[in-house]
Amino acid sequence: MKPLTVNKEILESVFSSMPNGVIVVDHNNRILFINSSAQKLIKQEHQDLVGKDIRDFVPNSPIHQVLNSGKSTLGAKMTIAGLQCMVNKTPLYKENQLIGAVSVIQDISQIEHYRSLLKQMEKIIEFSTDGIYVVNSEGITLIVNSAYEAMSGIKRERLIGHHMGDLMNHGYFDQSVSLLVLQDKKRRSILQRIGQQKDVMVTGTPVFDESGEIQMVVTSVRDITQLNELTNELKKAKSFSEMSQNRYTFSTEGNDEKVVFQSIQMKGIIEKVKQIASYPTSILLSGPSGAGKEVIANLVHQLSDRKDMPFIKVNCGAIPEQLLESELFGYEKGAFTGARQEGKVGLLELADKGTVLLDEVGELPLSLQVKLLRVLQEKQIQKLGSSKVKQLDIRIISATNKHLKELVEKGKFREDLYYRLQVIEIAIPPLSQRPEDIEVLLDHFFTYFCKLFNIEKHVSPETKQILQSYHWPGNVRELRNLVESMIVSVPSLTIEPVDLPPHFSIHGNSESVHTFKQRMEQFEKRVIMDALHTKPSIRKAAEYLGVDHSTLVKKMKKWDREINRGIN
């Protein structure tokens, strides 16, 4: 077979079959040769263009630059017939004489389109609010966006080019979803901890090539640290709602309970509370049951800068000893038999940033006294079944009706805890030692319960005198309960001595009613007083009772004289 001789026809055939456009011009810009690809580019298909000026079809053609300089230009971008093209221009010599130029034109419109899309995708990735993390099929980091940098606090330069396994070993994150996706060849989602300080939800998605092999893994990263905090708050709210009223209560707002007093002793206590309330110092409230220790604790909380934070009240004597530790400190799931599957937030943790009232603190078991001491000393708490500790900021107010110092001497209360709790001690005296407060408390509770139950009742002067002379062993609580009982249980509108419980006549004054005649007079007085309160005038009351108007007036004058004698 003869060797192939390259002639003009073969060259023209070769150039015509090329996908890129080829145009040859002489030194006058006249077309010497143009292939079909070039004619398509300049939209002059099936036209005889040989001998015509190239500038008629490509007005912005820079071919003259090559003809003038005799130097090649490569990779120049230009628009030809509305298409983005890459043009290489080379001078054409014959016997060292410049006779023209050759242009090779490549349509790069589609390439530019994809390049534009790529830039848009880069911007989308870069400005996504979710973190984006991309690795190749080998698990090596390719792309990290700004959101991931901000979320993790790690610059992308420290990640790109490094294998995920190495990054895990260096503590950048605790586990890699990308490696799990490469292993399982499917989408995976996990909770990840970045830098041992931030919780994120990561979802890795595999990108497959045409042969079904993974090209890369694209991971979206979302910060759920705040979500976890909200979840914890929800758990707290759930725990609040499940609190048993007889054991502890919760309050973040002021309540209707007021500190009512007239005695010098209580005035001194209130002044002291105002002085110390703004400090986080531990306070020990001592005094008999019902004297008002909880009311003073409420006042301390409301006057402090923690008033808008939780106020947890724990009755240490009402919770069974075997449950008290888990109630106070909380527990992780599976911490002990019978524990909730999801675990539980402890009361001390619920009160974080707020105040805790430990009522009947003298009932606290010695084993828990040690743990409570640690909370006070280290400001930390550790749940049952957990190895993690949590910082805690709470103010402790303790209340007791026992002499803790005597319990310390008997070995039933830790001395170190006693002094931690008793940084400031406020002793609430019994009501019998501050008789000046009885009348104001009586008036206050009558007004409060009448308004609460939407009823109008009164206390007769004789009844009030008996109540003021009573020694009140149950203190303010007994007085409050008696007033509520009388308002709801006595049918008449005026509370008379006969309406009081039997033991009040024993401790009352010598003028307490005993005889049948006296009791009848009290009953008559009650009926008349009720009529006077319900009718608009004395005359109407007399008509209602069926007695003469003058008779009613005489009885009223008699009772007024008796009251005045009693006062004088």
Side-chain angles (χ1 to χ4, degrees):
M1 184 182 227
K2 282 187 175 183
L4 183 64
T5 302
V6 178
N7 54 30
K8 179 181 178 183
E9 289 77 11
I10 292 176
L11 286 175
E12 287 182 354
S13 177
V14 170
F15 287 132
S16 296
S17 64
M18 290 177 63
N20 292 337
V22 178
I23 302 176
V24 182
V25 300
D26 62 15
H27 64 283
N28 292 320
N29 288 298
R30 299 286 176 180
I31 297 174
L32 298 176
F33 172 80
I34 181 169
N35 68 354
S36 58
S37 297
Q39 286 187 272
K40 286 182 181 179
L41 286 172
I42 64 176
K43 300 187 180 340
Q44 296 293 328
E45 296 177 76
H46 311 301
Q47 300 292 325
D48 185 7
L49 303 181
V50 175
K52 295 182 179 181
D53 195 316
I54 185 63
R55 289 170 293 189
D56 294 340
F57 310 104
V58 187
N60 58 344
S61 173
I63 195 72
H64 64 278
Q65 296 173 357
V66 177
L67 296 174
N68 292 335
S69 66
K71 294 180 180 179
S72 300
T73 59
L74 304 175
K77 289 183 179 180
M78 62 181 296
T79 302
I80 300 175
L83 299 175
Q84 286 287 317
C85 297
M86 181 82 73
V87 182
N88 294 328
K89 300 174 289 292
T90 305
L92 184 61
Y93 287 93
K94 184 178 181 182
E95 297 176 356
N96 295 326
Q97 183 177 356
L98 182 64
I99 62 171
V102 179
S103 294
V104 179
I105 308 168
Q106 181 181 4
D107 180 6
I108 60 170
S109 300
Q110 195 171 17
I111 295 175
E112 288 297 306
H113 173 68
Y114 286 129
R115 182 173 294 175
S116 176
L117 287 178
L118 180 60
K119 288 183 178 179
Q120 292 179 24
M121 290 301 297
E122 287 176 347
K123 288 182 179 179
I124 292 172
I125 291 173
E126 185 61 20
F127 293 105
S128 169
T129 55
D130 284 353
I132 303 294
Y133 198 112
V134 183
V135 304
N136 65 10
S137 60
E138 302 298 322
I140 295 174
T141 307
L142 299 177
I143 299 173
V144 175
N145 72 345
S146 296
Y148 186 87
E149 284 186 310
M151 196 182 300
S152 65
I154 306 170
K155 292 296 183 182
R156 66 187 78 186
E157 293 80 9
R158 294 160 64 183
L159 303 171
I160 293 175
H162 294 280
H163 192 274
M164 296 301 289
D166 295 334
L167 295 173
M168 285 170 55
N169 292 335
H170 284 88
Y172 287 104
F173 24 74
D174 60 347
Q175 55 182 330
S176 169
V177 74
S178 302
L179 296 181
L180 293 175
V181 171
L182 291 172
Q183 173 185 310
D184 299 341
K185 299 187 183 301
K186 63 180 181 181
R187 176 182 291 187
R188 290 288 303 270
S189 295
I190 62 171
L191 289 175
Q192 187 184 67
R193 193 158 184 82
I194 300 176
Q196 298 181 347
Q197 60 183 359
K198 183 158 290 190
D199 296 319
V200 294
M201 170 70 76
V202 292
T203 299
T205 304
V207 178
F208 297 96
D209 60 19
E210 295 179 355
S211 62
E213 296 298 322
I214 294 180
Q215 278 187 313
M216 64 183 73
V217 177
V218 179
T219 300
S220 64
V221 185
R222 178 161 294 182
D223 187 354
I224 60 169
T225 304
Q226 188 176 14
L227 180 61
N228 283 346
E229 291 174 356
L230 291 174
T231 301
N232 290 334
E233 290 301 317
L234 184 61
K235 286 183 179 178
K236 287 183 180 181
K238 183 179 179 182
S239 296
F240 287 146
S241 68
E242 294 173 348
M243 286 182 176
S244 173
Q245 186 67 26
N246 67 327
R247 295 192 301 183
Y248 32 74
T249 57
F250 165 69
S251 171
T252 55
E253 299 293 336
N255 50 41
D256 293 332
E257 199 165 19
K258 297 179 181 179
V259 183
V260 179
F261 63 93
Q262 191 171 315
S263 63
I264 296 175
Q265 300 100 307
M266 289 304 297
K267 183 179 179 181
I269 288 172
I270 300 306
E271 291 300 322
K272 189 171 186 178
V273 167
K274 290 178 181 179
Q275 171 67 28
I276 65 176
S278 59
Y279 301 98
T281 310
S282 298
I283 299 174
L284 176 62
L285 303 175
S286 59
S289 296
K293 297 188 290 297
E294 184 175 337
V295 175
I296 297 300
N298 290 340
L299 184 62
V300 172
H301 180 71
Q302 291 301 319
L303 292 178
S304 73
D305 54 4
R306 299 168 183 258
K307 64 180 181 179
D308 296 322
M309 303 307 291
F311 185 14
I312 303 293
K313 302 174 184 179
V314 185
N315 190 328
C316 300
I319 306 175
E321 182 177 339
Q322 60 271 25
L323 293 179
L324 186 56
E325 182 175 6
S326 63
E327 293 286 345
L328 284 176
F329 295 91
Y331 55 82
E332 296 290 351
K333 61 180 181 180
F336 54 85
T337 304
R340 288 184 186 175
Q341 184 61 30
E342 69 274 17
K344 185 175 182 180
V345 181
L347 295 173
L348 296 178
E349 186 178 349
L350 286 172
D352 193 22
K353 304 293 189 301
T355 306
V356 173
L357 170 62
L358 297 177
D359 200 7
E360 297 186 35
V361 70
E363 303 292 336
L364 202 64
L366 283 169
S367 59
L368 286 188
Q369 292 179 28
V370 177
K371 287 198 169 187
L372 181 60
L373 180 63
R374 189 177 304 126
V375 171
L376 291 171
Q377 289 176 334
E378 302 174 8
K379 306 295 183 183
Q380 291 179 340
I381 192 171
Q382 185 174 346
K383 290 183 179 181
L384 294 176
S386 173
S387 59
K388 297 179 181 178
V389 295
K390 179 179 179 179
Q391 290 297 125
L392 206 60
D393 175 20
I394 56 173
R395 178 184 201 161
I396 299 289
I397 301 176
S398 306
T400 181
N401 58 4
K402 296 184 177 182
H403 296 287
L404 290 188
K405 192 65 177 174
E406 293 181 5
L407 294 179
V408 170
E409 293 171 357
K410 294 177 181 178
K412 295 182 179 180
F413 202 88
R414 291 182 63 93
E415 185 175 23
D416 45 7
L417 178 59
Y418 169 70
Y419 287 115
R420 277 282 182 178
L421 297 176
Q422 188 244 0
V423 177
I424 293 175
E425 183 171 359
I426 298 177
I428 315 295
L431 191 56
S432 60
Q433 293 181 14
R434 43 189 175 103
E436 307 96 314
D437 292 335
I438 295 175
E439 184 175 5
V440 291
L441 285 168
L442 189 64
D443 292 341
H444 167 69
F445 289 133
F446 254 93
T447 302
Y448 173 77
F449 285 114
C450 283
K451 182 179 178 181
L452 180 65
F453 301 134
N454 195 25
I455 191 172
E456 187 67 29
K457 291 195 177 184
H458 304 276
V459 183
S460 71
E462 294 88 352
T463 305
K464 183 177 284 190
Q465 187 177 4
I466 293 172
L467 294 176
Q468 285 182 287
S469 63
Y470 182 62
H471 67 290
W472 298 107
N475 295 293
V476 180
R477 184 183 295 124
E478 183 184 6
L479 174 57
R480 177 190 173 108
N481 292 344
L482 175 69
V483 171
E484 182 178 6
S485 173
M486 289 190 299
I487 287 177
V488 300
S489 63
V490 175
S492 61
L493 298 179
T494 302
I495 310 297
E496 298 291 353
V498 70
D499 298 316
L500 295 174
H503 64 277
F504 277 88
S505 61
I506 299 173
H507 297 282
N509 59 30
S510 59
E511 297 179 3
S512 296
V513 292
H514 296 291
T515 68
F516 177 76
K517 181 179 178 181
Q518 288 174 319
R519 290 180 180 273
M520 290 300 296
E521 287 178 354
Q522 288 288 353
F523 180 76
E524 179 187 39
K525 182 179 179 181
R526 180 195 303 172
V527 172
I528 291 174
M529 295 303 293
D530 286 349
L532 289 170
H533 283 303
T534 56
K535 300 303 176 182
S537 65
I538 298 176
R539 191 172 300 278
K540 291 288 184 183
E543 291 177 3
Y544 172 75
L545 295 171
V547 299
D548 188 79
H549 172 260
S550 60
T551 302
L552 196 56
V553 171
K554 289 178 182 178
K555 288 184 177 292
M556 291 173 62
K557 287 181 178 180
K558 175 187 175 185
W559 294 333
D560 284 341
R561 286 195 299 271
E562 290 175 355
I563 292 172
N564 290 331
R565 282 200 303 272
I567 293 174
N568 296 329

